[in-house]
């Protein structure tokens, strides 16, 4: 499960102290041991019982101007610091099922009951309230292709909660949790690993009953723009999509480019030819997804040719 980093430090530091320490060149959130070594600093920030309320009040008095500029996360998040290219710090609110916020919004804004891994590592500490619950699992990312419905060897670890002062390191592409509501409104504070390649690293949703990948959670704007570029009038933009299909380092983007090139073909035969070439890719993800897309296209050919969908049986 996510790595619990024990400690009993009672010293308190300010947010500025934490930022200064993390800005040291020796801190490397891409290295597990370096990231874990920052755990006592995060615990000391959690020992500071005033800073978060003070910061929230300041933000409210300023009509949340900084949040509007810097917070790209959901509304359960207060961005605390975002200036470095390698990390950012945030606070997260975890309502209980009794809270009006939960009753109004339901599960989805809080990712409750959505088993998932993370495409980034992060350190977290329980700051307020009893803490959210999680059922923890682990898996081997290297043994997975990333296909929807693909079987995964999920290793169940335990159910536990992020109690006040408890520090955990969630390891990218390894730790999975099925996050469950806190028993009372709770707050956690995270140090997040920031990396420009994040949109191209897969984050999966899992079905823990069937031990399958249920889907890829993250999508980048690149995929939507590829669809537009492929269909751009007079073919302008098609060359760009061809370049992405041939050589983008992310296989999810390469397949998206191929799929949109196929979709932009005027004739179904040409689309199927493109997908047939994709199904011979050395990338198992691209090969399988191309075959699935070709099958989907083929299954609709008859009614496309007829000009109407089949009626009810
Ligand atoms: Fe999570």
């Amino acid at each position: 499960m996510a790595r619990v980093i024990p400690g009993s430090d009672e010293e308190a530091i300010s947010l500025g102290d934490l930022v200064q320490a993390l800005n040291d060149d020796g801190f490397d959130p891409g290295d597990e041991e370096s990231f874990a070594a920052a755990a006592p600093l995060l615990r000391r920030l959690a020992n500071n019982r005033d800073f978060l309320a003070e910061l929230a009040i300041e933000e409210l008095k300023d009509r949340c101007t900084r949040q509007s500029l810097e917070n790209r996360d959901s509304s359960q998040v207060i961005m605390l610091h975002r200036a470095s290219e390698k990390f950012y710090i945030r606070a997260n609110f975890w309502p209980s099922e009794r809270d009006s916020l939960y009753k109004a919004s339901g599960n989805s804004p809080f990712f409750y009951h959505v088993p998932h891994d993370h495409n980034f590592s992060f350190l977290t500490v329980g700051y307020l309230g009893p803490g959210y619950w999680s059922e923890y699992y682990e898996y081997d990312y290297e043994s997975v292709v990333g296909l929807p419905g693909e079987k995964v060897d999920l290793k169940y670890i335990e159910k536990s909660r992020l109690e006040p002062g408890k520090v955990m390191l969630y390891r990218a592409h390894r730790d999975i949790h099925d996050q469950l509501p806190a028993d009372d409104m709770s707050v956690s504070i995270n140090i997040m690993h920031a990396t420009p390649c994040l949109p191209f690293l897969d984050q999966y949703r899992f079905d823990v009953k069937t031990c399958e990948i249920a889907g890829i959670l993250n999508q980048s704007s690149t995929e939507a723009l590829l669809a537009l570029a492929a269909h751009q009038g007079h073919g302008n933009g098609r060359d760009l999509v061809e370049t992405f299909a041939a050589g983008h380092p992310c296989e999810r983007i390469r397949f998206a480019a191929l799929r949109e090139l196929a979709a932009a073909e005027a004739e179904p035969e040409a689309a199927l030819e493109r997908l047939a070439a994709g199904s011979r890719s050395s990338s198992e993800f691209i090969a399988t997804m191309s075959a699935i897309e070709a099958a989907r296209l083929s299954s609709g050919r008859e009614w496309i040719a007829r000009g109407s969908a089949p009626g009810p049986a």
Side-chain angles (χ1 to χ4, degrees):
M1 84 179 203
R3 187 171 154 186
V4 178
I5 302 171
S8 55
D9 205 324
E10 293 186 357
E11 186 188 338
I13 60 172
S14 69
L15 179 61
D17 293 334
L18 176 64
V19 169
Q20 189 178 8
L22 297 181
N23 277 336
D24 188 284
D25 286 344
F27 174 61
D28 176 8
D31 176 83
E32 183 177 333
E33 293 313 314
S34 178
F35 213 168
L41 293 166
L42 185 59
R43 186 176 288 109
R44 283 177 211 159
L45 179 67
N47 289 339
N48 181 336
R49 307 309 299 163
D50 301 322
F51 89 97
L52 185 58
E54 287 169 0
L55 190 144
I57 290 167
E58 270 176 40
E59 293 276 1
L60 287 168
K61 285 184 175 177
D62 194 32
R63 298 187 181 273
C64 300
T65 303
R66 193 168 67 90
Q67 294 302 313
S68 302
L69 292 171
E70 295 180 7
N71 191 351
R72 296 170 212 156
D73 293 343
S74 68
S75 54
Q76 72 168 138
V77 167
I78 296 182
M79 191 61 61
L80 302 179
H81 175 81
R82 184 167 212 144
S84 161
E85 289 192 349
K86 60 181 182 179
F87 73 91
Y88 62 95
I89 305 171
R90 68 183 193 181
N92 313 279
F93 289 77
W94 304 106
S96 76
E97 287 176 333
R98 294 194 308 278
D99 285 307
S100 57
L101 182 64
Y102 180 94
K103 287 176 182 164
S105 304
N107 273 324
S108 54
F110 310 104
F111 257 50
Y112 291 148
H113 304 290
V114 181
H116 60 276
D117 70 346
H118 307 88
N119 52 353
F120 48 85
S121 294
F122 66 101
L123 263 183
T124 187
V125 64
Y127 185 69
L128 197 73
Y132 66 76
W133 290 95
S134 283
E135 301 261 15
Y136 288 99
Y137 301 79
E138 284 183 27
Y139 81 112
D140 176 17
Y141 177 76
E142 296 303 325
S143 68
V144 161
V145 176
L147 302 165
E150 181 180 351
K151 287 287 180 192
V152 183
D153 186 12
L154 295 181
K155 183 179 169 194
Y156 179 75
I157 309 294
E158 67 171 32
K159 180 180 178 180
S160 63
R161 65 181 173 183
L162 185 66
E163 291 156 356
K166 181 177 180 181
V167 180
M168 301 179 80
L169 176 63
Y170 283 71
R171 297 159 297 185
H173 307 300
R174 180 165 172 186
D175 298 311
I176 297 167
H177 66 155
D178 183 0
Q179 201 163 359
L180 310 169
D183 296 331
D184 274 308
M185 175 66 86
S186 297
V187 177
S188 64
I189 300 170
N190 301 154
I191 303 171
M192 311 285 287
H193 180 199
T195 160
C197 57
L198 198 62
F200 308 116
L201 303 174
D202 290 334
Q203 180 179 23
Y204 300 129
R205 181 165 57 86
F206 295 89
D207 184 328
V208 293
K209 287 196 177 73
T210 59
C211 292
E212 290 174 354
I213 292 177
I216 298 176
L217 279 170
N218 59 320
Q219 271 203 328
S220 70
S221 52
T222 307
E223 283 143 296
L225 291 171
L226 283 171
L228 290 172
H231 288 83
Q232 172 75 4
H234 313 297
N236 185 21
R238 194 79 62 89
D239 55 341
L240 182 70
V241 187
E242 295 273 10
T243 306
F244 274 57
H248 196 281
C250 172
E251 53 187 14
R252 176 162 48 83
I253 300 297
R254 289 207 303 280
F255 170 68
L258 173 65
R259 183 189 60 214
E260 298 310 330
L261 286 168
E265 293 287 0
E267 299 299 328
E269 286 74 18
L272 287 170
E273 256 176 54
R274 280 198 183 266
L275 293 167
S279 70
R280 295 189 293 273
S281 167
S282 58
S283 154
E284 192 176 344
F285 178 83
I286 293 172
T288 308
M289 293 301 286
S290 297
I292 291 171
E293 181 67 5
R296 191 186 69 81
L297 200 62
S298 296
S299 69
R301 281 188 74 181
E302 195 183 323
W303 65 262
I304 289 171
R306 243 196 349 254
S308 64

